[in-house]
Amino acid sequence: MNIYIKNIKELNCACDALILPFTEGDFGLYNNIGSTTSGLVKKLFSKEFHGKQNEVLLVPSPEDIKPERILLIGLGKKDEISTEKVRQAGGKAAVYLRDMGMKKIALSSRVLSSLKMSPADFMEGSLLGLYTFKRYVEEKNNKTIDSFVIPSKVSKVLKDDIHWIKTIASSVCFTRDLINTPSNDMTPSHLANAALSLERNNLLVKVLEKKDAEKLGMGAYLSVAKGSKEPPKFILLEYKGAKRAPLALIGKSITFDSGGISLKPAEGMEKMKYDMAGGAVVLGIFKAVSELKLPVNLVGVLPAAENLIGGFAAKPGDVVRAINGKSVEIINTDAEGRLVIADAIGYAKRFKPQAIIDIATLTGACSIALGNEAIAMMGNNRELINKIKKSADKTYERVWEMPLFDEYKEYLKSDIADIKNTGGKNGSLVTSAYFLYEFAGEVPWVHLDIAGTAWIEKEKPYMPKGASGIGIRLMLNLLKELK
Ligand code: BES
Ligand code: MN
Ligand code: ZN
């Protein structure tokens, strides 16, 4: 879909529908848009439409203007306006118009500008909302929007903002596709190929094989892959856009989590294809960063494996040794995420990173605590945590900090090894993070548990059901501020 900024009047814009955003009960700015349009909209505004958040009304337009139809969209109360509300309105309006079969759309920016909001935020919601997962269905209805015109003065700021949201939305959609793809078509090898497809001059991709991981002593990671015939792939990415020490991004990449010998219940197990969401998000981040050529240095680590049962699978009680020499007693083979991330952290440290951030669908307890509304965040570095909080507020990819109390160390004490991989039912969200903390040590590190937010059960204005791609916008905004 194309987005054009055109220096013309909105009523001279030939299109299937012109979007007019409104705040609640406020008609003011459309008084001088053109007499027939203004008259029509004024009439509707008293009864049919009020401007409530995400309220929509599509009407045929007056004879004397170029747009065929007008879509009124509500932004909610004027003094409660936020970029998130604008983004949601953008998603709601675009999806509504697409479903009505509209192809060419225009967006009036007069109300948005008066609210000091950017049409780019509205368009971000539209691009994210219009996503559909098409891999396995015949294209029956051809309902797609072809173009969006923003009638506005062409400015560098607006052009740059549109470029930014277009690049990011395309990365989010790339990532959603990877996550939505079921595990028979998204094995560790497929994920490695997806990573390799991103290779370009500023982005290096390398895939370590099982024998490489063995040589490196990644016993924790390899124990997870043992029950599957699919070979594990330890995927590495390097982006160089600056001179300083890199930021390491680790994404949990379990392409299917059956639980292993500690088998999960059948109900809902099909969703465990999204256990590689963290890895897919890291790929999305690299895609966007390399396209935007951001002045940062990144290392990406995706420890990809399938957690299955079989004659060679790891068993409860097994003891394995991680890359840093620590021995780990596997109490529950379903706590596999922390095992693969532990070795990924150990490996990432070799790059002498300024900080490590891991993104993972790590615990069911994450959704129990926060529902589908926030990422659980834990870390050992106040400054980094605060930066991520700021970015979360901006992008509405919200985070909620959970503690890493010293006492949790006790929960993970093993009788026969340095540490065990579960700390019991109580505090399972925080002890999973504490386990990782034991591997991060002194290196500034933050863990983001996206188990509750990576998958959307009930669609939201700019998030269709399925993979959300959460984490990309959060991290990109953070990286933008870091430069
Ligand atoms: N991948 C799961 C966590 C998960 C559950 C993600 C539901 C998304 C939705 C993870 O590997 C897991 O199984 N965690 C266990 C840990 C437990 C055995 C300590 C859990 O949370 O139940
Ligand atoms: Mn598991
Ligand atoms: Zn898992």
Side-chain angles (χ1 to χ4, degrees), residues 99-120:
D99 293 347
M100 296 297 277
M102 310 284 120
K103 300 269 172 214
K104 288 181 72 183
I105 314 294
L107 167 66
S108 165
S109 49
R110 63 174 67 203
V111 163
L112 296 176
S113 310
S114 82
L115 295 166
K116 305 251 178 322
M117 292 285 142
S118 167

Side-chain angles (χ1 to χ4, degrees), residues 252 254 256-257 264 272 275 307 334-337 361-363:
K252 176 176 174 184
I254 299 298
F256 188 77
D257 181 13
K264 284 186 183 295
M272 280 303 114
D275 217 16
N307 187 23
D334 198 11
E336 84 298 340
T361 46
L362 208 62
T363 64

Side-chain angles (χ1 to χ4, degrees), residues 239-246 295-297 354:
Y239 169 82
K240 283 209 173 84
K243 285 234 165 75
R244 58 179 303 207
V296 292
N297 265 2
Q354 47 160 310

Side-chain angles (χ1 to χ4, degrees), residues 166-314:
K166 266 177 87 169
T167 311
I168 290 186
S170 113
S171 286
V172 172
C173 295
F174 166 82
T175 291
R176 286 175 180 174
D177 273 346
L178 296 179
I179 302 171
N180 284 326
T181 301
S183 71
N184 58 324
D185 285 326
M186 188 47 63
T187 60
S189 306
H190 287 104
L191 193 62
N193 287 339
L196 289 164
S197 78
L198 299 179
E199 219 171 6
R200 41 158 85 202
N201 52 14
N202 58 8
L203 177 55
L204 289 174
V205 181
K206 206 169 119 189
V207 180
L208 303 188
E209 304 296 331
K210 183 176 159 200
K211 59 177 192 321
D212 304 312
E214 279 165 357
K215 264 186 224 147
L216 286 159
M218 298 196 207
Y221 163 62
L222 288 168
S223 75
V224 175
K226 274 169 62 186
S228 171
K229 286 204 169 149
E230 289 295 338
K233 302 280 169 180
F234 197 87
I235 307 162
L236 298 169
L237 300 99
E238 259 187 281
Y239 169 82
K240 283 209 173 84
K243 285 234 165 75
R244 58 179 303 207
L247 175 67
L249 297 174
I250 297 172
K252 176 176 174 184
S253 303
I254 299 298
T255 56
F256 188 77
D257 181 13
S258 72
I261 299 288
S262 315
L263 191 64
K264 284 186 183 295
E267 202 186 315
M269 206 205 274
E270 75 284 355
K271 275 200 226 108
M272 280 303 114
K273 66 175 183 179
Y274 89 81
D275 217 16
M276 37 60 79
V281 163
V282 170
L283 292 188
I285 295 165
F286 273 83
K287 176 170 149 63
V289 166
S290 84
E291 282 169 13
L292 291 163
K293 302 192 173 71
L294 293 190
V296 292
N297 265 2
L298 296 181
V299 171
V301 186
L302 278 67
E306 222 180 31
N307 187 23
L308 292 192
I309 37 178
F312 288 109

Side-chain angles (χ1 to χ4, degrees), residues 350-361:
R350 300 180 167 210
F351 293 85
K352 303 244 171 318
Q354 47 160 310
I356 298 175
I357 298 176
D358 79 77
I359 306 169
T361 46

